[in-house]
Amino acid sequence: MARKLLVVGAHSADFVWRAAGTIAVTTANGGDALVVALSYGERGESGELWKQEGQTVENVKRIRHEQAEQAAAAVGARFVCLDLGDYPLEVDAAAMERLVRLFRDEAPDVVLTHTAVDPFNPDHPVAHDVVMRARLLSSGAGVASAFERIDPPAVYLFEPHQPELCGFQPNTFVDITPVFERKVAAMAAMGAQSYLKEYYTELAGRRGNHARRISGKQHVRQAEAHQRVLPLVVESL
């Protein structure tokens, strides 16, 4: 069970669909979770909001922030947005430094982020790359006595919208059955993308079915799938 979880998404709602249940499991068991959005998704993820007459970028960002904070609260997490802009998401040296500082301040046990490939979204692979780089920079200073560093956290990739086209290989399933209503509440908070709620509700059920078949644990009804990137280090099998 992760004591400290850091979830980094390209856009402010990414964590809701892909990892809200995992976050809720962590916090329900006494852990701590921080959600970092690199952008609000104001250009590429907010189509419903732009249907409103007289809409502005500033107002879309405000609404997206409020919705993300409400969703994060539903699963017991904190929310921070770096507001770097989207479509395209561009991370300069100053933004990378901010992300590395978050890694060092949080010292997470586990980091969750996007896959390295997504042919349908230009921002998700960017987020993956900067998260992996920030992990290395925060944990690999080299001389612990001279430079601030953290223990390297485990890295998991959460499930993309079309996994078969993103090279996603699920090898870890989190049972979110006990906290599923909290994920439902988080999804309900994201009014700017309410059309995704039904899809990810159904996906949780399908992944629950897979988890039951893999484990034999018949109590699992809903699950989230992730891909662990680095090997486990264990005392025994």
Side-chain angles (χ1 to χ4, degrees):
M1 183 62 61
R3 297 182 302 278
K4 297 195 73 174
L5 178 63
L6 178 63
V7 182
V8 184
H11 315 108
S12 59
D14 288 335
F15 78 97
V16 174
W17 320 115
R18 297 166 174 84
T22 300
I23 295 168
V25 168
T26 298
T27 59
N29 284 281
D32 179 77
L34 174 67
V35 173
V36 177
L38 300 180
S39 80
Y40 284 113
E42 63 272 14
R43 290 165 60 90
E45 309 279 316
S46 304
E48 293 300 307
L49 296 178
W50 285 106
K51 293 177 182 179
Q52 300 173 15
E53 186 176 353
Q55 188 63 273
T56 65
V57 170
E58 292 75 17
N59 193 50
V60 168
K61 287 182 180 182
R62 179 188 61 79
I63 294 171
R64 294 278 289 186
H65 187 92
E66 291 173 354
Q67 291 181 352
E69 279 198 326
Q70 184 179 347
V75 293
R78 294 168 288 137
F79 174 77
V80 173
C81 184
L82 300 190
D83 193 12
L84 303 179
D86 69 318
Y87 282 73
L89 171 64
E90 297 180 342
V91 182
D92 60 16
M96 177 62 72
E97 185 175 351
R98 290 169 65 193
L99 187 58
V100 170
R101 172 51 55 189
L102 279 170
F103 268 72
R104 289 179 175 153
D105 289 345
E106 294 297 315
D109 300 298
V110 172
V111 175
L112 264 170
T113 193
H114 295 276
T115 53
V117 176
D118 191 331
F120 299 100
N121 193 298
D123 296 344
H124 292 172
V126 174
H128 171 274
D129 291 347
V130 300
V131 166
M132 298 302 287
R133 181 170 173 80
R135 177 187 179 275
L136 291 175
L137 291 173
S138 62
S139 63
V143 184
S145 60
F147 300 98
E148 182 183 358
R149 62 180 299 279
I150 64 172
D151 291 335
V155 180
Y156 290 83
L157 311 179
F158 43 54
E159 184 164 8
H161 194 70
Q162 296 197 30
E164 66 278 5
L165 299 177
C166 297
F168 180 71
Q169 298 289 327
N171 55 25
T172 304
F173 290 83
V174 177
D175 175 14
I176 65 171
T177 309
V179 298
F180 186 62
E181 290 308 313
R182 295 175 66 179
K183 174 163 184 167
V184 171
M187 292 192 293
M190 300 308 302
Q193 292 174 278
S194 59
Y195 53 88
L196 290 175
K197 181 179 177 181
E198 181 179 358
Y199 177 89
Y200 282 98
T201 298
E202 293 177 352
L203 179 60
R206 291 198 300 275
R207 289 308 192 184
N209 175 271
H210 298 161
R212 287 195 303 276
R213 292 174 63 86
I214 291 167
S215 67
K217 297 179 179 179
Q218 296 303 309
H219 66 274
V220 179
R221 310 316 302 174
Q222 291 92 16
E224 286 177 343
H226 305 298
Q227 179 180 343
R228 185 180 174 94
V229 174
L230 301 169
L232 282 168
V233 178
V234 299
E235 298 299 326
S236 64
L237 293 180

